Amino acid sequence: MTKTVLKGAITSVAILAGAGMALAEGNLVINGDLELTTEAPAPSHIEGLTTVYSGWVFRDSFTQAMEMDDFDNPGMLFVDAGEDMWNEPAGTSGKACADCHGDASESMAGVRAVYPKWNEAAGEVRTLEMQINACRTENQGAEALKYGKGDIVSLEAYISMQSRGMPMNVAIDGPVADVWAQGKQMYYTRTGQLELSCASCHEENYGNLIRAETLSQGQTNGFPVYRIKDSVLTSAAGRFVGCVRDTKAETYKIDSSDFVALELYVASRGNGLSVEGVSVRN
Amino acid sequence: MKRIIPITVGVALVATLAVAAEVSPENVAFDEYGAVSESLTGVAGDAAAGLKAMETKSQGNCFACHQISAAADIPFHGSVGPSLDGVASRWDETQLRGIVAGVKNTFPDTVMPSFYKSSGFIRPGDGFTGKAGTEPLPTLLTAQQVEDIVAYLLTLTE
C-alpha cells in the first residue's frame, strides 16, 4: 500500500517535473496573450491533494497546442453556435437570452467560475445546465434541452467563455454544505464490479498511465470539453456518466440530484484553477 | 502439487471434478494473509491461456495497470500498479492465487479489482452498459482463468 502510494507520487512528480519544464517554455497561453492558471495550491477543503492541476497539463503536446489557439480549437465552433442561440428568440415568450441578459460579456462574466451555485428562489443547487434549462422553461417558454451534449452545451460554452481566465471559486458552505458533503461522499465511494472511486483514479493515481491514457486529476475547470476522440463537446455531467460506467457500475442519471452534488464537489476541488472556456482533451 | 499430475489424469479429473469441485466465489478459503492454498478447480493452470486472459480487456485487463517485460509485445502497459517482473520470487503460488482471486484480502485498500467475486458491490452494473446489474454478477475471471493466470505469473521469476 505505502509502496504504491509512494510509487504513484514519484511518477506524478516525474510527469509534473516534465510539465514544470513545459511551464518554463510554454504554459497554457491562449492566442499568445491570455495566460491561464493550470497549477495552483489545493484548496484547504481538499485533504488528498497538495497541488491541483488542470487536465491540460496531462495531455500530449498535440492536444495541448489545439487549446492554445482559438483557430485550432474545435470547441470554438460550438461557442459560435451558442452565441447564435443566445441572440435567437425561442419559445412562447418570443424572447432571446439576450433580451433579458443583454451583452453576455458583461452579464455572464464570472458566472461560470461560481457554478454549481445555490439558487435562493428555487431553494436548490443548480449546475449551469440546470440554470440554462430553468431560463428556457420558466423565462422563454421553451422546452428543456437534454443534458450532456448538443445545444445546451453550446450555450454553456458561450457563457463559459465570458469567464475564461478567471479562477474557479465555487462556494461550499452555507446552504450548499449538505449537497457538497453528499458529493464528497460520492467521490470516495467505490462503485461497480471494479470497485473504483473517483479518488482511486484521479486522486491516488493522477500522472499514472491506465493503459495508454495518462490519468489527470479529473478537474472540471476545463468544461465544456471538446473530445478529439468523438468530436463532441461534453459537459461535466456527460463526462461523469462515462467515468462511473467504466467502473462496471449502474451510472447515476445525467440529470439526477446525485450528479449535481458530485459536480459541485468536483468543481470545488479545482478552486483556484482558471476557467478554460472550452478546452480540448483526447 | 496438482500440476504434476499427468495430463491424461488431469483430463479425466476435469470430467468428474469440473462441476463438482469448482470452488464458488463465496467459498474461496483465504487464510489470514490473503493466500488461497487449494486450487479453485483442481485442474492445472495453463500459462499461455493465462496470459491471454490477462491481456483481454473484458477479462483480466491486467495491462491497464501493470507492466511485464516478458510481454513487451502487448502494447500499452499501465503504471497504476507495480511491474509484475519477478513476481514469482516475491509471492508463492498460494499467495498469487489469493491476489488474483480476491486481492483485498492481501491489500485491503488497493485499487486492483477482485477478479473472483460476484456480489457485495455498490451500484453493480450490467457490464459496461451503465445499466443496473443483478447480483450475483458473472465473475470478472472464471475459476479456471484464475488458475491459468497463476500459472503464468509463476513463470515470472525475474
Side-chain angles (χ1 to χ4, degrees):
Chain A
M1 187 55 206
T2 20
K3 197 181 72 188
T4 338
V5 170
L6 187 65
K7 188 195 63 62
I10 290 169
T11 318
S12 314
V13 170
I15 291 253
L16 296 167
M21 268 161 51
L23 283 175
E25 306 159 40
N27 22 351
L28 178 47
V29 180
I30 311 269
N31 303 331
D33 61 32
L34 177 64
E35 183 165 344
L36 303 190
T37 302
T38 55
E39 177 182 346
S44 57
H45 56 264
I46 304 303
E47 297 101 31
L49 300 172
T50 51
T51 307
V52 291
Y53 299 98
S54 160
W56 180 84
V57 168
F58 301 89
R59 305 289 40 108
D60 59 65
S61 54
F62 168 80
T63 307
Q64 287 186 334
M66 277 174 88
E67 190 177 331
M68 294 172 75
D69 186 329
D70 284 348
F71 284 107
D72 295 334
N73 182 343
M76 289 305 147
L77 297 172
F78 297 83
V79 174
D80 292 346
E83 181 172 9
D84 290 346
M85 288 183 70
W86 180 264
N87 293 308
E88 193 137 42
T92 53
S93 72
K95 285 200 159 80
C97 316
D99 289 330
C100 294
H101 293 293
D103 182 352
S105 70
E106 284 168 24
S107 64
M108 293 293 137
V111 168
R112 164 70 176 85
V114 296
Y115 268 77
K117 174 181 117 171
W118 180 253
N119 183 295
E120 189 60 47
E124 64 184 9
V125 177
R126 283 185 174 169
T127 63
L128 208 41
E129 285 176 298
M130 284 168 77
Q131 178 60 49
I132 292 168
N133 263 348
C135 274
R136 280 184 60 90
T137 55
E138 292 157 26
N139 291 324
Q140 285 185 306
E143 81 286 7
L145 298 168
K146 274 215 174 90
Y147 289 170
K149 57 183 182 189
D151 286 347
I152 200 165
V153 186
S154 296
L155 268 170
E156 188 184 0
Y158 180 60
I159 293 170
S160 186
M161 278 297 284
Q162 315 309 323
S163 304
R164 184 157 77 172
M166 297 181 187
M168 286 293 297
N169 185 26
V170 303
I172 65 165
D173 48 10
V176 309
D178 288 349
V179 175
W180 183 83
Q182 183 197 341
K184 178 177 180 183
Q185 156 103 37
M186 289 171 72
Y187 193 86
Y188 288 99
T189 299
R190 290 172 157 242
T191 57
Q193 191 172 15
L194 300 183
E195 297 176 288
L196 295 169
S197 69
C198 314
S200 306
C201 286
H202 295 302
E203 182 170 287
E204 289 178 47
N205 280 296
Y206 67 87
N208 277 328
L209 280 170
I210 189 147
R211 282 264 179 190
E213 186 124 62
T214 305
L215 285 164
S216 73
Q217 289 184 344
Q219 299 285 1
T220 51
N221 62 299
F223 281 82
V225 164
Y226 178 82
R227 293 194 66 188
I228 300 172
K229 191 164 112 181
D230 44 15
S231 315
V232 164
L233 193 73
T234 325
S235 70
R239 176 48 122 153
F240 294 171
V241 169
C243 276
V244 178
R245 186 191 53 215
D246 286 352
T247 67
K248 288 198 158 185
E250 176 190 6
T251 62
Y252 307 89
K253 294 243 158 25
I254 193 163
D255 56 356
S256 63
S257 57
D258 302 284
F259 269 162
V260 177
L262 187 62
E263 189 171 334
L264 172 66
Y265 176 71
V266 177
S268 82
R269 293 174 67 90
N271 276 354
L273 295 173
S274 294
V275 172
E276 291 180 18
V278 279
S279 68
V280 184
R281 307 283 188 259
N282 42 326
Chain B
M1 6 164 274
K2 292 200 168 96
R3 281 175 297 123
I4 51 174
I5 294 173
I7 295 288
T8 42
V9 181
V11 171
L13 278 176
V14 180
T16 51
L17 289 183
V19 181
E22 190 168 297
V23 180
S24 62
E26 56 280 9
N27 289 330
V28 179
F30 294 94
D31 73 13
E32 60 180 308
Y33 303 106
V36 177
S37 53
E38 289 295 313
S39 164
L40 301 183
T41 60
V43 177
D46 171 346
L51 179 58
K52 191 86 203 129
M54 287 175 69
E55 181 188 351
T56 306
K57 288 190 189 165
S58 59
Q59 296 170 8
N61 198 20
C62 315
F63 292 96
C65 295
H66 290 289
Q67 183 260 327
I68 300 177
S69 303
D73 53 319
I74 294 170
F76 306 124
H77 298 208
S79 62
V80 168
S83 163
L84 297 183
D85 289 358
V87 78
S89 5
R90 295 192 289 279
W91 305 97
D92 69 21
E93 176 181 334
T94 67
Q95 292 167 321
L96 288 172
R97 181 178 293 113
I99 290 173
V100 178
V103 67
K104 273 130 190 139
N105 296 282
T106 306
F107 302 108
D109 298 321
T110 188
V111 300
M112 177 163 152
S114 299
F115 287 95
Y116 196 60
K117 172 176 172 176
S118 58
S119 56
F121 302 110
I122 298 171
R123 304 185 70 83
D126 176 8
F128 286 112
T129 62
K131 301 209 169 71
T134 311
E135 294 185 344
L137 300 175
T139 52
L140 294 168
L141 294 171
T142 65
Q144 191 55 43
Q145 284 169 335
V146 171
E147 294 303 322
D148 293 345
I149 289 175
V150 170
Y152 174 76
L153 294 176
L154 284 169
T155 68
L156 302 176
T157 47
E158 58 192 61

